[in-house]
Amino acid sequence: MEFKDLEIFQLVAQKGTITEAAKALSYVQSNITSRIHKLETELNTPLFNRHNRGMSLTPEGKKLLVYCEKILTLTNEMKRVVQSGEDPSGKLEIGSVETVIKLPNILSTYTKKYKNVDLSLLTGVTDQLQQDVLNHRLDGAFVTETDVHPDLVSHDVFQEELVLISDMKATSLEQLIQEPFLCFSKGCGYRARLEAWYKNQNITPQKVMEFGTLETILSSVAVGLGITFVPRSAVSHLEKRGLIQCHTLPEQYSKIKTVFIRRSDAYLTTTIEKFIETIEQTKDETTEPLSFISN
């Protein structure tokens, strides 16, 4: 059994078809098919169910996938450890929630200083990003602080205040709670905070509308579509321009901390170590938010 066979098996499991896996690897389909057959022969068990829509894992295939992901993760980590030197290099895959106002400064400072690092960024909600780090899909992520999983360590980035924001027409809290709640998908730390406040106040939102980007949410609030709950630092510029109003909620719901998480058992390569150092160096820097809404 070769590592390449496991990589091909994992990719076919992810893509669901030989065709898509072959495209991703720039292989001919017959090569992929023969490697899968070879693996099934070696293990003396079928790993995929073949059907008109593609391929799905058999129970035995699902078991193999678990071990396959562990083996390939350890293999990649081994390569990084062996190749790690004083000068950071290689791939660094980072995740982040959308409202980390210091993120552009952190990324800019890091990439300018360490030009041999191939850094990529994935945005998402806290729960999904945490799972991506736990499952080795990301090297680390900026998330809203929650109960830290025992397999993770966290590094403080900054603490800030969440505010309820509305357009300029709403004048009271009673009016606000009748408005649609605009938010990210389930798993967002800000959404969870406001839902906890709703629950404590015995309020049922009239309507919940999910959006994919912060820009869309803020633009929608400004034109009166509904309300949302976001860090004050992300909207202070809009408040100054008279585009939105900020409304405060009790501290137990509004005070929130952003942290950078990584797996506790992952080898601390120079690449990730220097990234954490960069976070520490930019903690006290003042950052102005970018404006997403035009006049």
Side-chain angles (χ1 to χ4, degrees):
M1 186 184 304
E2 301 176 15
F3 284 128
K4 196 62 187 179
D5 293 337
L6 295 180
E7 290 176 354
I8 290 172
F9 165 75
Q10 183 185 51
L11 191 59
V12 174
Q14 292 170 350
K15 298 292 186 181
T17 68
I18 294 289
T19 303
E20 291 301 316
K23 285 181 182 178
L25 292 170
S26 298
Y27 283 7
V28 295
Q29 293 185 37
S30 58
N31 191 358
I32 301 291
T33 301
S34 64
R35 298 292 281 263
I36 293 297
H37 280 311
K38 175 173 173 272
L39 194 57
E40 289 177 321
T41 301
E42 285 185 30
L43 296 173
N44 195 31
T45 186
L47 300 173
F48 290 98
N49 295 306
R50 278 79 169 172
H51 45 74
N52 292 334
R53 296 186 306 277
M55 301 171 70
S56 60
L57 290 170
T58 63
E60 292 74 17
K62 291 177 182 178
K63 292 177 187 176
L64 177 62
L65 183 61
V66 173
Y67 287 98
C68 178
E69 289 175 342
K70 290 179 180 179
I71 291 169
L72 294 177
T73 296
L74 285 172
T75 301
N76 290 331
E77 183 173 309
M78 176 187 68
K79 291 177 181 177
R80 289 201 299 268
V81 171
V82 172
Q83 295 169 357
S84 180
E86 293 184 4
D87 187 26
S89 61
K91 294 185 67 175
L92 181 61
E93 296 173 315
I94 299 297
S96 179
V97 294
E98 278 212 31
T99 50
V100 181
I101 193 172
K102 292 180 180 291
L103 186 58
N105 281 4
I106 294 170
L107 299 182
S108 176
T109 300
Y110 183 81
T111 56
K112 286 179 181 177
K113 190 171 183 180
Y114 305 112
K115 300 184 183 297
N116 293 326
V117 176
D118 180 15
L119 190 150
S120 60
L121 179 71
L122 171 73
T123 59
V125 296
T126 290
D127 284 2
Q128 183 57 55
L129 292 172
Q130 179 171 279
Q131 287 303 310
D132 287 342
V133 174
L134 285 169
N135 293 324
H136 303 278
R137 289 190 287 267
L138 292 172
D139 296 305
F142 294 93
V143 298
T144 300
E145 185 180 44
T146 56
D147 293 332
V148 179
H149 190 282
D151 292 336
L152 297 174
V153 293
S154 66
H155 305 267
D156 291 351
V157 181
F158 60 96
Q159 181 170 302
E160 57 188 335
E161 177 192 12
L162 296 176
V163 289
L164 198 63
I165 69 167
S166 69
D167 65 7
M168 299 302 293
K169 296 177 183 177
T171 58
S172 68
L173 202 57
E174 288 71 26
Q175 283 182 298
L176 292 177
I177 61 179
Q178 300 301 318
E179 295 291 325
F181 174 30
L182 315 185
C183 56
F184 292 111
S185 61
K186 282 285 187 182
C188 169
Y190 309 144
R191 174 175 177 168
R193 287 295 186 93
L194 188 59
E195 287 178 336
W197 178 77
Y198 276 139
K199 184 176 181 180
N200 183 265
Q201 300 297 312
N202 294 315
I203 299 170
T204 301
Q206 298 298 308
K207 190 174 187 180
V208 175
M209 301 174 68
E210 295 185 355
F211 293 82
T213 67
L214 178 64
E215 179 181 354
T216 305
I217 291 175
L218 297 183
S219 297
S220 299
V221 170
V223 298
L225 184 59
I227 61 172
T228 194
F229 201 43
V230 292
R232 184 184 290 275
S233 62
V235 295
S236 58
H237 60 302
L238 301 180
E239 184 181 29
K240 288 176 184 176
R241 292 165 58 191
L243 295 174
I244 56 102
Q245 296 183 72
C246 293
H247 312 267
T248 59
L249 292 186
E251 187 172 305
Q252 68 187 100
Y253 305 105
S254 62
K255 293 300 181 184
I256 198 160
K257 186 182 291 184
T258 296
V259 297
F260 180 75
I261 58 171
R262 62 179 179 83
R263 280 197 65 99
S264 57
D265 59 354
Y267 177 77
L268 194 61
T269 63
T270 306
T271 303
I272 192 72
E273 184 178 23
K274 294 300 182 183
F275 189 78
I276 294 169
E277 283 184 14
T278 304
I279 294 172
E280 294 293 328
Q281 292 165 4
T282 57
K283 270 186 181 181
D284 299 325
E285 293 181 3
T286 301
T287 305
E288 286 295 324
L290 296 175
S291 176
F292 294 117
I293 302 176
S294 59
N295 286 317

